[in-house]
Amino acid sequence: MLGVCYYPEHWDEDRWKTDARRMRELGISFVRIGEFAWSRLEPSRDRFTFEWLDRAIDILTEAGLKIVLGTPTATPPKWLVDQCPDIIPYDEHGRPRGFGSRRHYTFSSETWWKESARIVEIVAKRYGDHPGIAGWQTDNEYGCHDTTLSWGPEDLKGFKRWLRLRYQSADQLNEAWGSVFWSMELESFDEVTLPNLTVTEPNPATRLDFWRYHSDQVAAYDAMQCAIIRKYSPGRWITHNFMGFVSDFDHFKVGDNLDLASWDSYPIGFVEKFPFTEEERNRWAETSHPDIAPYHHDLYRAVGKGRFWVMEQQPGPVNWAPWNPVPKPGMVRLWTWEALAHGAEVVSYFRWRQAPFAQEQMHAGLNLPGLDEWSPGGREARQVAEELAALGPLPETGQAPVAILFDYQSHWSTVIQPQGKDFRYEELCFRWYEALRHLGLNVDFVRPGASLEGYRLVLVPCMTEVDEATRAELARTAATVLVGPRSGSRDRNFRIPDMLPPGPLGELSGNRIVQVASLRPGLADAVTGSVSGAAIRWREYAESRATVLARFENGDPALTERNNLLYLACWPDEKLLASTMALVTEKAGIATMPVPDFIRIRRRGPLSFAFNYGTEDWALPAGAEILLGEAVLKPQAVAIWR
Amino acid sequence: MLGVCYYPEHWDEDRWKTDARRMRELGISFVRIGEFAWSRLEPSRDRFTFEWLDRAIDILTEAGLKIVLGTPTATPPKWLVDQCPDIIPYDEHGRPRGFGSRRHYTFSSETWWKESARIVEIVAKRYGDHPGIAGWQTDNEYGCHDTTLSWGPEDLKGFKRWLRLRYQSADQLNEAWGSVFWSMELESFDEVTLPNLTVTEPNPATRLDFWRYHSDQVAAYDAMQCAIIRKYSPGRWITHNFMGFVSDFDHFKVGDNLDLASWDSYPIGFVEKFPFTEEERNRWAETSHPDIAPYHHDLYRAVGKGRFWVMEQQPGPVNWAPWNPVPKPGMVRLWTWEALAHGAEVVSYFRWRQAPFAQEQMHAGLNLPGLDEWSPGGREARQVAEELAALGPLPETGQAPVAILFDYQSHWSTVIQPQGKDFRYEELCFRWYEALRHLGLNVDFVRPGASLEGYRLVLVPCMTEVDEATRAELARTAATVLVGPRSGSRDRNFRIPDMLPPGPLGELSGNRIVQVASLRPGLADAVTGSVSGAAIRWREYAESRATVLARFENGDPALTERNNLLYLACWPDEKLLASTMALVTEKAGIATMPVPDFIRIRRRGPLSFAFNYGTEDWALPAGAEILLGEAVLKPQAVAIWR
Amino acid sequence: MLGVCYYPEHWDEDRWKTDARRMRELGISFVRIGEFAWSRLEPSRDRFTFEWLDRAIDILTEAGLKIVLGTPTATPPKWLVDQCPDIIPYDEHGRPRGFGSRRHYTFSSETWWKESARIVEIVAKRYGDHPGIAGWQTDNEYGCHDTTLSWGPEDLKGFKRWLRLRYQSADQLNEAWGSVFWSMELESFDEVTLPNLTVTEPNPATRLDFWRYHSDQVAAYDAMQCAIIRKYSPGRWITHNFMGFVSDFDHFKVGDNLDLASWDSYPIGFVEKFPFTEEERNRWAETSHPDIAPYHHDLYRAVGKGRFWVMEQQPGPVNWAPWNPVPKPGMVRLWTWEALAHGAEVVSYFRWRQAPFAQEQMHAGLNLPGLDEWSPGGREARQVAEELAALGPLPETGQAPVAILFDYQSHWSTVIQPQGKDFRYEELCFRWYEALRHLGLNVDFVRPGASLEGYRLVLVPCMTEVDEATRAELARTAATVLVGPRSGSRDRNFRIPDMLPPGPLGELSGNRIVQVASLRPGLADAVTGSVSGAAIRWREYAESRATVLARFENGDPALTERNNLLYLACWPDEKLLASTMALVTEKAGIATMPVPDFIRIRRRGPLSFAFNYGTEDWALPAGAEILLGEAVLKPQAVAIWR
Ligand SMILES: [Zn+2]
Ligand SMILES: [Zn+2]
Ligand SMILES: [Zn+2]
């Protein structure tokens, strides 16, 4: 089903009915509203002006639209900031971040929690049982614009509180952090300082705890909002709209609060954000790289425990990337179908109509700026709506044969201590995912400690701290397991484990890592054996009691196997990665269907979907019973067959 | 005529007479003094020590030199900064900018206006009717070192005042800015904050108003100085020395205060400052790119309403670029003649003698550091003086056949909202100018709303907000008009216009722009038709009721024509630009004289001037009656013929 | 002899005996301890807990190890920072630099001097005559993490004090600095401000004085510690461990306080730090560039007046460079032998055992993280110990035939006023050193004003201010002298000298420099004559009364000779540099032995040492009487012969 993001407060009230009618005409079922409207709901403290929203909700409901109502906490109004300056976040340079855009609050502020609870309660009470309200969105895009971490006095206060709970005594804190190093020992929690603006790098254990603290704050803040909404709005679901390539907090923990996950899909904007090569950026500039959206669909399906939406779908050019091309004709439709193929329950476009004012005036909508006239993206959305209606309901999305274990903390840990400048956790996961998708496979993401039941292949690209639950699952599973570099290289306190890496996986892998090298661009170490290619960026020196499947140039183990667990002791280049994926899928007994790198396949129950991101045709498999599209998949085309 | 910048306060008094005599020997007519001498005129508050300046002025006057006296406000002395800390400017990071160099004041400070008025009045009173004083320079290089905008408490105060006048009520401010977006609505002007240090980008409408506010402050501050000078120094002209590639305030508005404009020409230093390619930077490192100085001569002739000087002419290597090569022999002479060819009344060298101390000790002068001995540049200046004397007075500079409309606000607007990282307004104007100069044409600049009477070709490379006066002129003119991308794309409040871009030019152009794409380096869109080449950086999607002269690859209009107005819907690459200029000059019936890209031609009345920036000879047109130089124009040579 | 850096406070006390025993087994003689232990010695003010250190010293001494005791001032503990916030340094942006790492003090703070004196006295008193104490290290790595300069209120206070002493009156200060320029004149020393955060660049003379002030502070602070130690620990030597490529203070002046110098040798990390080309960085990534360690050995031998140690030797990968490769097998041994060949009395590894916690957990030790098990580097250290024992004592290191004059102030001066962005003093010195080493020569460094007695060739790559003592030595010496660009280009007050550069060397060189050009990458000026190649980066325009040995393209002098002094008027490219070194060694009558660029030779008395940094074999000279190694020097091998 389709949805749209709408801002009645941006338009004259006499246009609302037309808008609602045209939404229905286009085939929209859901409309998200309200998430930035605080200054219109409460223009000054306790002066409430909800009547316009009452009317807007009624008009939309009467038109047959179901409403997703956002809590307005992403944009505290000016009077609130002036009355409660302690809600303001601080950047890493120690500067307060001002009013005038959005997300100008820190999750650490108790005042902010109080104010948030107050407005959420007011909104939830007023609309909680309105028949038009289908569900809720908490806040908007947690973490956007680097707002997970904050470096102000409220954050220090909260961090001390959190540390006190975790460590009980300063002695235990000193012991855990190894504060004896460089005389950093503290006599009490009062002496804790923020890990920024130090002369040289602060203790990485402190930094990791600071990150964990903030991640916990986000989850707890979200839980607070959810509890209030649940109280006043029984029977409605709650979601949050997460972002792409933002991993500053543990999304799984926020997902625990929610009924379903959603995310904001801007495939073209992300081409500039992710560390692609310039060649890739040019190649995919007008279509997006074919794995960006799918990767996130699969990740947020996991965050949503099987249920997800695309809450904001790019419908044309955006405004926020360094360059903002127009998507190739067909791409808005393609992205929509692709989200559905990956299991999205709803794809909701951002936004109904391009706003001709303020920060996002260059962001496309389904309608031209200020007008009641379809944009090119609007016309594609309408086509999808018609196709969806013709096709009828889609089958369930089943479990994939392959799982990738994704771990937010490993991202934080490698940012804190890269050791090699280009060791980027997210990039490693993305490239492993991409390699699987080149083989035509459905992929699930799983969180640390989750059950691996039912998977035939499990990938752990890198998991710096392997907790006991995860270790036990990896020991228990009969799946082929592939573990990547730096896994088990840190304990809970960010120390090198007593038995050396991979720590808790030492026994399962049969390996002990005694040295590691990071390799500057231009350096590589050839790998030969059952797989071949080269190590780049990162290379480990392992002592192995396992079977060595491939070796580095000097004979050191590069890929080892013990029982069903393989360990890859490096960052693989493209060739080594492909070769390794071929090997492990074969060992796992998974049938693959290699596709050109501009084609992607996804199965949903008995249906197969294909998507063409390229400039050449591609022939569908012979004998396909085609439900949508043609036997020859044109550039930017979509096909569905049985 | 020639001039020189001189600092008597830097040298022992017993050298002044020799200096004056040698200036006359060299052929200098004008000498600019005084603009950094505040601490020598008033070493502490109300303790005045003008006697040395009295003597210096007398000595110079007696030697037959005419004096340009600078007001000393570019360098408030330490005691003043200590007594009036509120004059200090703040950088965009919110940090006060300290004492110890120059321009350490904000135009927003009322205290500063008072102090400036005080010292200007004292100086103007004392020297206003001295017979040696030919004219005045206000302050020095407004805006240099990013000092137009300032981000401190005084600036906020002034900005609120300015907004109150412009918008009358907070409601109208909110409406104009679209503050409803992201709950940025303000209840009163007291709530206004500076548009810096926000979590993500501030409202572009706020930023543009902040920029307009500062630009207005500069013009008003300058007007204040001019009024005082005029009161005490009747019959003398007033100028200000503007800079190259600095567009942070509206120079035309400052020009309105002045009798003539002047600018500071450092052709080689600017090669590193402007966004040239590395190849261009290497090629022109020791001569400057052949359009840098001419572009500014023509621009400042417009700012000066037909009258301009070069107040500071580079006479050798400078000190402030990342690299500072020695100009090729002949270039100091060439630049001087070129300024004259473009209509400069006086070319004044900076500086008389290289100072062996302080910040600019590596900046060449006409004399070697500390010595009474010509530098290589000094010898070239003397040659020009002799040649000038031999040649006699030059004819008037007439109107050019082509006008380029230059609009400072369009620079601010595209900096605030680039949408494509390399969309740079100044670069676009410069490249259009360069393409015209490749055709051997004289070019005038005109300001928004100016009369276009007498031009046969009018170029509007980009004018984001097209005001009514400009629209009317463009409608009225019989000239061929070429309008470039993003023109009319914003209204007065930085909104997308109601009828979509090009807004007020929609009717004249017959176009409506429904989408725009910015293209990353490496992407291009081929253009074919009456012109050919490719769009780079920026490409618009137009619906057109006009004649389509050229199309993009997919058939969309690239160049359209309706009556005498052509619209180019992209940033043209070099080929498309040249091809377009060839077309529009032909349509305008202008005879061109294409020259190699190292040769430039300029006509002044019946005289033709040629300049060779290259490494090869160039033959003058057959039959030229040569007044200076030879029929074969050697590298770095100058020729004048009838 | 070998040593090691050890942190008993990092390990359980019951492991100390094993550690001491294993150190002796490996062949360690010296152990450095204590330099970061303040929080363990005095956990709160006046509460002392030295007993553990007493026991550690006893255990190490009893095992036969000699102890180097570090004063713990590099890491003031939290309670001290809280009680004395005025010790905190400020960065150039004006921000206090926080607690949480190390070196968080400014040398300007009088409180800090008092606190330092207090703890140093306590430590020196307690252990000064302990028989196990062989010597002392003051503090740790002065200047590390940009901590020589600080920009806070204490620094301003100290700077004013220093200026008052130097200049006596504000008038003399203004005169020296040329403050009249831009009205920067001060009425009293109270008006002095820090030379940071100015609108544009501050006066370079002020910056140089600020740098000199801080350099003086470092030397005086060190002298203060040394005086206390000498009082309580008679008969023990004192050293400080300097760093590589850190020249923010005058090391020679600190060396004056010391009995011997030492430095911390991280050859591979420095490959990323020094401005090598990417090609060089890739080539030498796993061995280090073959001159990095030797250059510093030779430099610190000069700082130590003939005596030096390597206090910290890289024993495997480090943690602090952008990329941290594993050294090739053999390199730890090679670096150790190389240090000894250059005259190191002791090579001490950092560190005994990799710490599995805190900031440097990825820094290798002689033992694996947390374990009693040799790392690969540990095994190589043991091999050196055995070889050393077999070889017996090494002969004295004599005087080299060539001296390079190294001048810290010239580094500061060219950083303050580069004039060409890539004019880097240290790089120039390094490249001249490298060129000599390609000729197989031993090289000494000498400080400004030092006797040149006994040298046959003296190189002065660049000495911006030539003081009278240095000028006199250069006039007196019979050696061939080669002087490089910018020498004598500034006087004591950072002014261009009255007679133009090379100022005091004008008479000796026969040259006067009237202009200089900096050349952007891509520009070059060919040089031909007795030497050939090209000028890059920097090129001077000299008037010469000397013999011109080589000329630039336009005929200007490039290399001149007057008596025994040659002047090179440019930054030479590789070819011109090699050609110039060949010429001057020939003129000096020095026999050279050119080696491939991966081979280095060093003589120590009658012994020759060779080191292979490459990937190919190299044959030792025929007839060598080999004491260590083989006639064919394999990659990463060492050979010693007579
Ligand atoms: Zn791919
Ligand atoms: Zn050109
Ligand atoms: Zn070399």
Side-chain angles (χ1 to χ4, degrees), chain A residues 183 185 197 490 512 518 520, chain C residues 39-40 98 272 324 373:
Chain A
S183 279
E185 290 168 302
L197 298 171
R490 290 296 173 274
R512 192 175 82 137
S518 50
R520 64 192 331 278
Chain C
S39 74
R40 283 288 163 103
E272 295 288 345
N324 298 290
E373 191 178 340

Side-chain angles (χ1 to χ4, degrees), chain B residues 248-288:
Chain B
D248 281 349
F249 60 92
D250 189 329
H251 293 198
F252 293 116
K253 288 197 181 159
V254 174
D256 288 341
N257 306 324
L258 306 173
D259 298 290
L260 57 91
S262 68
W263 80 286
D264 297 346
S265 179
Y266 295 98
I268 282 189
F270 292 147
V271 173
E272 295 287 345
K273 195 171 171 185
F274 186 81
F276 291 110
T277 64
E278 282 303 281
E279 199 195 346
E280 286 176 310
R281 288 205 175 122
N282 282 336
R283 179 169 181 197
W284 306 116
E286 297 171 310
T287 59
S288 183

